[in-house]
Amino acid sequence: LCESLSLEHLTFSSIPCPAAIDIILQSSSAQTLRGIGIYYMDEIFTPANLLRLVRGCPLLSEFEGDSGELLSPIEHGKTVKAINKLLKGRGGKKNQYRPFVDFGPSQWGRPDTLGGQAGEFLQANEESEDDSESESGED
């Protein structure tokens, strides 16, 4: 598919093929790809692999995605910064790739749930707070 067409946008939500990045980079679509959407494919599209894809697709400036994995700013920060710098340098929005948990107030309010272990932890703590309030008779 990538070889026979000059694709400008791809969206992935499930790919059984770990070689997807290599297939894209070796195709003619690598030269025409402008946007990519990646949803819950953390095993294949790691920060290092995503950086390799962004570097290999010179027009790529738009990124959309969601991840069930929370990454460490200490371990992945430089790679994430490099991805965002490349995307912005090509005319994309600032900080499009945001795989880290945001702490502190948000202009959109607190998300209902977060994915992965952080979301499970928050949900468990909220449930235990609700139980303790109902046991003490507070409303």
Side-chain angles (χ1 to χ4, degrees):
L1 181 65
C2 288
E3 191 59 46
S4 61
L5 300 172
S6 294
L7 303 175
E8 289 191 12
H9 190 86
L10 286 172
T11 300
F12 297 108
S13 60
S14 122
I15 297 179
C17 178
I21 294 170
D22 292 326
I23 292 169
I24 294 167
L25 291 175
Q26 294 169 7
S27 74
S28 60
S29 291
Q31 302 305 311
T32 59
L33 193 63
R34 295 178 183 278
I36 192 162
I38 301 169
Y39 299 92
Y40 300 103
M41 299 192 53
D42 305 316
E43 305 84 34
I44 297 171
F45 289 98
T46 63
N49 282 339
L50 187 55
L51 179 58
R52 193 165 59 92
L53 179 66
V54 172
R55 284 180 175 157
C57 297
L59 299 179
L60 188 60
S61 64
E62 299 172 22
F63 176 83
E64 295 176 13
D66 204 351
S67 172
E69 182 179 349
L70 301 175
L71 301 178
S72 163
I74 295 170
E75 184 178 345
H76 303 287
K78 288 181 181 180
T79 306
V80 170
K81 187 175 182 178
I83 291 167
N84 283 318
K85 184 177 180 180
L86 282 169
L87 294 173
K88 187 172 187 291
R90 297 173 183 165
K93 296 177 188 170
K94 182 178 179 183
N95 295 330
Q96 291 184 66
Y97 180 50
R98 299 185 65 194
F100 307 129
V101 175
D102 288 329
F103 294 98
S106 168
Q107 69 184 31
W108 299 284
R110 184 174 177 202
D112 292 336
T113 59
L114 293 173
Q117 293 176 338
E120 292 170 11
F121 175 78
L122 287 174
Q123 189 173 13
N125 281 340
E126 287 174 353
E127 289 171 2
S128 67
E129 287 175 7
D130 291 344
D131 290 343
S132 65
E133 285 177 8
S134 63
E135 289 174 7
S136 66
E138 296 176 14
D139 288 300

